[in-house]
Amino acid sequence: MLSTVKMSISTLAQLEHDKSSKQIVENTEMVINEAIKSLKEVSDNLSPHVLNNFGLSRAVRNFTNKINATKVLQIRLKSNLGDIRLENNTEVVLYRVICELINNTIKHAKAKKIDIDLNIEQKNITIVYKDDGKGFEMDKLLNQPNNSGMGFSNIFSRINSLKGEINVDSHPGKGTLVNIKVGTENE
């Protein structure tokens, strides 16, 4: 739809305009181009091309490499998935969960390192996520008003949508440990 609007504005730009109308058309064209660029970035973050083309392990590695390059913290990723592909929805959900965990750590934990083990074991995908951050009290997080703690609420919801299991262990001063187990076959 944005591309169609862009084509219409481009057609308008070719017509003769007074100075004020020309400025409005040019500004509109610039805003549309920015909107298209932003939409592509959001889309790529939700389901990056590397996830669609190469799978979960490579997409997570690509994401963690970008974080590592910032030197904000160090992420170590170990995986035995290789080029194994999972059902598309499973890959997208697990990718988003891992990204949300990392983003939570960056925003709140003041951690120096994250360890992620992403493995396939029999008919399950397991994720062990550990950070050395400041930790938190689970009860307080889960009982906060709707605006706070949404990251973990989304994570629980996403794992439940895959009929998976999630266990979060965190205590103030002790970091956070998250264990996730999801079946690789639809039931």
Side-chain angles (χ1 to χ4, degrees):
M1 287 193 310
L2 282 174
S3 294
T4 303
V5 172
K6 181 179 177 175
M7 287 189 312
S8 297
I9 292 296
S10 294
T11 302
L12 270 177
Q14 294 171 8
L15 302 174
E16 262 190 56
H17 297 281
D18 59 38
K19 188 176 179 181
S20 138
S21 295
K22 183 176 175 132
Q23 186 67 37
I24 291 170
V25 170
E26 287 173 357
N27 286 343
T28 303
E29 197 167 20
M30 184 183 72
V31 169
I32 291 169
N33 287 336
E34 282 299 310
I36 290 170
K37 182 180 173 188
S38 294
L39 185 61
K40 284 180 181 176
E41 288 173 0
V42 167
S43 173
D44 196 45
N45 284 334
L46 291 177
S47 185
H49 300 295
V50 70
L51 178 62
N52 295 331
N53 295 330
F54 300 104
L56 181 62
S57 182
R58 181 96 63 93
V60 171
R61 187 160 311 281
N62 190 50
F63 184 76
T64 59
N65 285 344
K66 287 178 185 174
I67 302 294
N68 284 337
T70 68
K71 307 236 187 267
V72 171
L73 59 97
Q74 184 63 37
I75 303 174
R76 183 197 54 80
L77 171 65
K78 286 185 358 187
S79 177
N80 71 355
L81 270 180
D83 294 330
I84 294 172
R85 296 305 305 264
L86 307 170
E87 194 269 328
N88 183 58
N89 184 54
T90 301
E91 287 187 337
V92 169
V93 167
L94 292 178
Y95 176 79
R96 289 179 184 168
V97 163
I98 292 169
C99 291
E100 184 71 37
L101 287 168
I102 292 169
N103 286 327
N104 282 347
T105 296
I106 291 170
K107 285 182 198 173
H108 307 293
K110 297 182 180 172
K112 290 186 174 42
K113 70 176 187 167
I114 298 171
D115 290 315
I116 304 170
D117 292 329
L118 171 63
N119 293 301
I120 188 163
E121 299 170 355
Q122 297 163 348
K123 294 182 180 184
N124 295 302
I125 295 295
T126 61
I127 299 168
V128 178
Y129 179 96
K130 183 172 181 15
D131 73 35
D132 66 349
K134 64 181 187 176
F136 56 89
E137 291 182 36
M138 278 298 294
D139 291 343
K140 282 188 180 178
L141 179 81
L142 297 175
N143 293 324
Q144 285 180 351
N146 290 343
N147 292 344
S148 349
M150 284 304 292
F152 268 105
S153 176
N154 287 336
I155 290 168
F156 282 108
S157 175
R158 287 177 173 152
I159 295 303
N160 285 335
S161 77
L162 296 177
K163 297 180 181 156
E165 301 169 15
I166 180 168
N167 184 338
V168 179
D169 184 23
S170 186
H171 303 283
K174 305 224 176 174
T176 300
L177 174 64
V178 180
N179 287 292
I180 297 170
K181 183 173 163 183
V182 173
T184 58
E185 296 177 359
N186 294 333
E187 294 178 15

